[in-house]
Amino acid sequence: MRPFLFLCCSAVVSGLFAPQAGIAQQRPPIFGFANKNRIPEVNKSGSPVFDKLRNEAMKKKLPLVIYLTGSSWCSHCNIFTREYIKTANFKNAAGKKFIFWMVDTKQVPGNSPGTFNFKMVPEEAAKIVGCADSPRAPYVVLGPPAVFIIDPVSGELIKSLFTKSEVDKYGKPLAGIIEEAWNNHVNRKKLNGNA
């Protein structure tokens, strides 16, 4: 009986029984993934904005970067945006070293601060990015902030970043991380003969 009680108490303390939506604000999200069988063919996403940006990225041979944020409710997102997205370095690189799309989510009405729900992703973007509760989109995350670095030709998810500490561990600006991830991806493709 004691081991069972210990296990239950540990689960409660670690947040295992907390609603998933509430965890998004308490702790920064820890994962994101691509639904490989849902990645749309070029110009078939159902999202004109995504298709336009993807075409621009293919034409310029640059990665497509999607940033999922919640500016009106997510404190982690506001810190992430201020420290990485609104910097001169990032703004100067956007459009030249990568194509950028910022998707701003809304808080679910009547729910506690930090609640993230697929329905609150703007309709245009919901065909592309979603949350783990409703993994209908090609790119899925527990909650914002989230950065997806995507190969525009194949739709492959090259890298995803979620927390300030995750970005900080690279010791370089976010734009530099994106550029390095893209260069590594391109070089890998060349080595494999897929260039």
Side-chain angles (χ1 to χ4, degrees):
M1 183 69 167
R2 257 189 182 170
F4 177 73
L5 286 174
F6 177 77
L7 182 63
C8 287
C9 290
S10 297
V12 169
V13 170
S14 68
L16 196 61
F17 294 140
Q20 185 179 27
I23 293 172
Q25 185 67 12
Q26 294 168 16
R27 291 185 317 194
I30 54 173
F31 72 92
F33 59 92
N35 278 326
K36 293 182 181 177
N37 59 341
R38 295 191 186 270
I39 293 173
E41 293 179 37
V42 176
N43 294 323
K44 293 189 178 180
S45 71
S47 170
V49 172
F50 176 77
D51 289 342
K52 178 182 176 218
L53 294 172
R54 187 177 187 180
N55 285 331
E56 183 181 351
M58 287 190 307
K59 181 179 176 183
K60 292 182 176 182
K61 297 183 180 181
L62 298 173
L64 175 58
V65 175
I66 301 174
Y67 173 51
L68 188 68
T69 185
S71 65
S72 65
W73 59 271
C74 174
S75 59
H76 294 292
C77 299
N78 291 326
I79 293 167
F80 197 97
T81 300
R82 182 181 65 245
E83 295 194 13
Y84 304 114
I85 306 298
K86 289 188 174 181
T87 64
N89 178 278
F90 189 87
K91 288 178 181 179
N92 290 336
K96 297 174 189 160
K97 298 191 177 194
F98 54 87
I99 304 303
F100 182 66
W101 185 22
M102 186 165 101
V103 176
D104 200 358
T105 64
K106 305 286 185 227
Q107 185 177 348
V108 178
N111 285 348
S112 62
T115 301
F116 177 68
N117 187 296
F118 183 83
K119 294 175 187 163
M120 302 314 289
V121 177
E123 186 177 339
E124 176 71 26
K127 296 169 183 150
I128 305 304
V129 292
C131 74
D133 291 0
S134 298
R136 297 180 288 162
Y139 307 101
V140 178
V141 68
L142 177 61
V147 175
F148 292 105
I149 306 169
I150 300 166
D151 180 334
V153 176
S154 66
E156 177 186 347
L157 179 60
I158 300 168
K159 185 183 264 322
S160 50
L161 301 160
F162 305 102
T163 63
K164 180 180 176 329
S165 61
E166 188 176 5
V167 174
D168 288 345
K169 76 179 181 185
Y170 287 95
K172 59 177 76 175
L174 180 57
I177 297 169
I178 293 167
E179 184 177 12
E180 182 180 308
W182 178 246
N183 289 338
N184 290 343
H185 175 71
V186 169
N187 291 335
R188 229 179 357 262
K189 283 174 61 175
K190 285 179 183 174
L191 285 172
N192 294 334
N194 298 331

